[in-house]
């Protein structure tokens, strides 16, 4: 029995080590990305039966594995709901994937490379796009590039420009940067959340930046979304000996900065890595919450549809 316990502990360490190795984005000095023209790809959805509790006020409505006949539909790291109800996913290699929510086994999707970004488009490290805000009025989108620690503006007419935003990136690793963004159109501010789960940058007018502490994180920040009622939900990624645990947390204001309060644990596998969140209002006052996982090119991509009861205060 003692020998078996030692073997089991060793296996756990091997699994954790393999995950950390494979989940790390490589930084190569050789071209490893091929820009491609826009095309209509075919998505394939396969229903997945996920078992287990989710969280108070949150129900899981459906889950699907997602695959496609376009290699750019991988590494999905951000998600948004467009004004027309379609979902728009952003890959960590600078590609947008726009498609309607699942209603069958297949669906068309527009796959398009971003029309610009930092550095050469033939290097993935220059197109490591991790966070996105899509304008509700269709004017365009703002995207954060993690490895280059910069924000770019992409307008609907195809123009792209780097925003003159002085991010305090000294000491940030090449693969540890802005992982989530949420805006407050009424207040003219945007919140940028660092992957480490300890820092929130409050941006005013996309020019002035103020660093504020983030407390309560039980893991790294993976994405965030502002709900129709103004509250903010954050995806939290915990890494342990048995793999990943994906949680959802409320982002709350404190006197000194912000804090995270976990309210749900998603019933996913130890290799499933939620990196995209999106929200839309439901007709009865509740909120539909979408989530997508990043497959890093070797795991499954999952799309989740959940309903959050926003008719009551958070528990």
């Amino acid at each position: 029995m003692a020998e078996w316990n030692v073997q089991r502990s060793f296996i756990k360490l091997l699994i954790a080590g393999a995950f950390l190795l494979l989940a790390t984005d490589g930084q190569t000095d050789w071209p490893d990305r091929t820009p491609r023209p826009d095309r209509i790809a075919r998505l394939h959805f396969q229903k997945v039966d996920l078992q287990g509790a989710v969280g108070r006020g949150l129900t899981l409505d459906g889950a699907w594995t997602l695959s496609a006949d376009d290699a750019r539909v991988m590494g999905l790291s951000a998600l948004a709901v467009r004004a027309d109800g379609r979902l728009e996913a952003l890959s960590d290699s600078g590609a947008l994937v726009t498609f309607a929510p699942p209603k069958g086994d297949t669906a068309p999707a527009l796959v398009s490379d971003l029309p610009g970004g930092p550095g050469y488009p033939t290097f993935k490290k220059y197109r490591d796009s991790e966070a996105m805000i899509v304008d509700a009025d269709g004017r365009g989108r703002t995207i954060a590039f993690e490895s280059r620690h910069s924000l770019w503006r992409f307008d609907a007419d195809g123009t792209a420009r780097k925003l003159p935003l002085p991010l305090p990136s000294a000491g940030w690793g090449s693969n540890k940067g802005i992982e989530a963004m949420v805006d407050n159109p009424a207040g003219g501010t945007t919140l940028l959340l660092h992957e480490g789960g300890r820092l929130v940058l409050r941006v005013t007018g996309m020019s002035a930046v103020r660093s504020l502490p983030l407390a309560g994180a039980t893991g790294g920040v993976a994405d965030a979304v502002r709900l129709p009622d103004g509250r903010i939900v954050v995806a939290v990624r915990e890494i342990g000996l048995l793999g990943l645990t994906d949680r959802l947390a409320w982002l709350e204001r404190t006197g000194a900065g912000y804090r995270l309060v976990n309210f749900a644990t998603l019933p996913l596998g130890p290799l499933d890595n939620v990196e995209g969140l999106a929200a839309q209002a439901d007709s009865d006052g509740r909120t539909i919450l979408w989530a997508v996982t990043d497959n890093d090119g070797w795991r499954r991509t999952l799309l989740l549809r959940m309903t959050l009861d926003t008719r009551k205060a958070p528990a």
Side-chain angles (χ1 to χ4, degrees), residues 10-22 239-243 271:
F10 180 68
I11 291 172
K12 291 179 181 179
L13 288 173
L14 285 178
I15 292 174
F19 172 81
L20 291 173
L21 177 64
L22 291 171
I239 300 178
L241 288 179
L242 295 181
L271 297 180

Side-chain angles (χ1 to χ4, degrees), residues 175-190:
N175 195 36
K176 291 285 187 180
I178 299 304
E179 196 78 8
M181 298 192 300
V182 288
D183 64 348
N184 180 14
T189 59
T190 301

